[in-house]
Amino acid sequence: MSTIKKQFVLALDQGTSSSRAIVFDQSGSICSVAQKEFPQIFPKSGWVEHNPHQIWSSQAAVIAEAISAIDINGLDIAAIGITNQRETTIVWDRDTDEPVYNAIVWQDRRTSEFCDKLYEDGLDKMIREKTGLIPDAYFSATKIKWILDNVPGARKRAEKGKLAFGTVDSWLMWRLTRGNVHATDVSNASRTMLFNIHTLDWDDDLLRLFDIPRSMMPMVKPSSGNFGHTTTTLFAHELPIAGVAGDQQAALFGQMCIEPGEVKNTYGTGCFLLMNTGDKPILSDNRLLTTVAWSINGKTSYALEGSIFVGGSVVQWLRDGMHCIRSSSEVEALAEEATDNGGVYFVPALTGLGAPYWDPDARGLICGLSRGTTVANIARAALEGIAFQTYDIVRAMERDSKLAIKNLKVDGGASRNNLLMQFQSDILETEVLRPKVTETTALGAAYLAGLATGYWESIDQVKAQWQVDRKFGPKADKETVENAIAGWKNAIARTLTNHQHH
């Protein structure tokens, strides 16, 4: 063994509402965590922005806090890993580091009419084949175009090569290296709608279509490897930035879903399901997204992704909208007061339906009410609605990939709800595995960075660290499950609007 002091890996987790820094040790355990929220800016209905300086200052503050909490310095840190809210778009001046406009956040819908036009012009097929994505305001391309079209002088400066574009990972690297590094990784690049997932490079046809100069684009690198060294005063020593991945891909890696057919679901406000599909991109017939999972040691892995708009937020609605519960954690006890849903189904389409339906005009529906229905039945139906939506996406993934899922690995706040996890296992008829370390997003970034620097020797060494906290196996009989799914399909049929988009 070498005599160097025990070293750590620092993971930066820059999210939509807060920035976090987590220090991990060699066993993959958390040594310290710091978190800081920052303001959300809503200039108009459907518009969501962040101040890029606040993204950076909150991230810098938590880095300092997490490191000082355990009294270590830069010499003790082997590498930095970065994971980030995806698709959020920042354009800045290369000379002054000044953003030309606020960051336009992934949730922002201001460019949705332009996306409708892409469908009308029949460009959706080309976009889908090159990028694996469906034309949507969610992705970065139309956001960059909006900034160039709407900020006075921006397009001229961009054409002269004076402006840089980046997703949040690129902005953090730019600031950490004082402008020495303008880079991103393949997973973040694959969410811009400008990246060809087959050639693994920016696509000239797409840059032309959105009228974006290639000089703005960051260099695309593997997710695990050398991105450059910090030169900021935050660290007395230069530290290697060695792992970068978008948050959902980082969680897939942190959950060690490294074999084709392995699936994770993050039960947050919404839910994000990703399935590793191996070394070939599979284009979905079921309106799922095809995305780059990561690139390590010269090998690129791909994933299918399905998102559920309303997951855990249905519980917040029961609390704030319906006043059925005082705190979100009470929902499980309330749901357990009912032995079953009593024939009640709750489709939580409070903001439209995502994959595999893609019906933005659909609205929530509770059906099957009778005189005997109690608030406990409704709470139970709400939780079951999260599990049924997950079921729909998993089955769509199986159809697209021709792979049967091995199990479902879960994380995110609502994964702590045992009733929900048991029901999820019952209807999927597969094991649901909840890990000991549920900070899988930050852990994934740490692993990518630590593997690149030799802090961890191999993926096998990392895989051995993944531990189950609790395993849920199917308990319900076949007839019960079939009836439940039939009831859900009936509820979905009542929810869908007839004029579905595209």
Side-chain angles (χ1 to χ4, degrees), residues 51-107:
N51 177 334
H53 290 305
Q54 289 173 335
I55 290 178
W56 166 243
S57 61
S58 61
Q59 190 63 71
V62 292
I63 289 171
E65 192 186 326
I67 288 176
S68 64
I70 50 174
D71 199 24
I72 58 172
N73 65 28
L75 281 177
D76 301 310
I77 295 170
I80 296 176
I82 298 175
T83 181
N84 53 286
Q85 49 163 323
R86 302 176 304 170
E87 298 101 11
T88 294
T89 298
I90 306 173
V91 175
W92 66 91
D93 184 295
R94 289 179 180 277
D95 296 327
T96 65
D97 298 348
E98 225 11 79
V100 303
Y101 189 78
N102 272 338
I104 302 183
V105 181
W106 58 275
Q107 298 136 309

Side-chain angles (χ1 to χ4, degrees), residues 394-444:
V394 169
R395 293 293 178 253
M397 286 177 165
E398 290 180 323
R399 290 195 297 274
D400 279 335
S401 66
K402 316 278 187 284
L403 295 164
I405 71 160
K406 297 184 166 76
N407 51 44
L408 181 68
K409 290 180 172 173
V410 300
D411 53 55
S415 70
R416 291 195 285 274
N417 187 312
N418 295 331
L419 180 94
L420 173 58
M421 293 302 106
Q422 183 56 54
F423 185 74
Q424 191 72 80
S425 173
D426 286 341
I427 58 168
L428 280 173
E429 299 175 67
T430 189
E431 283 191 331
V432 169
L433 308 175
R434 184 171 63 201
K436 281 216 164 95
V437 177
T438 52
E439 294 291 355
T440 48
T441 307
L443 187 59

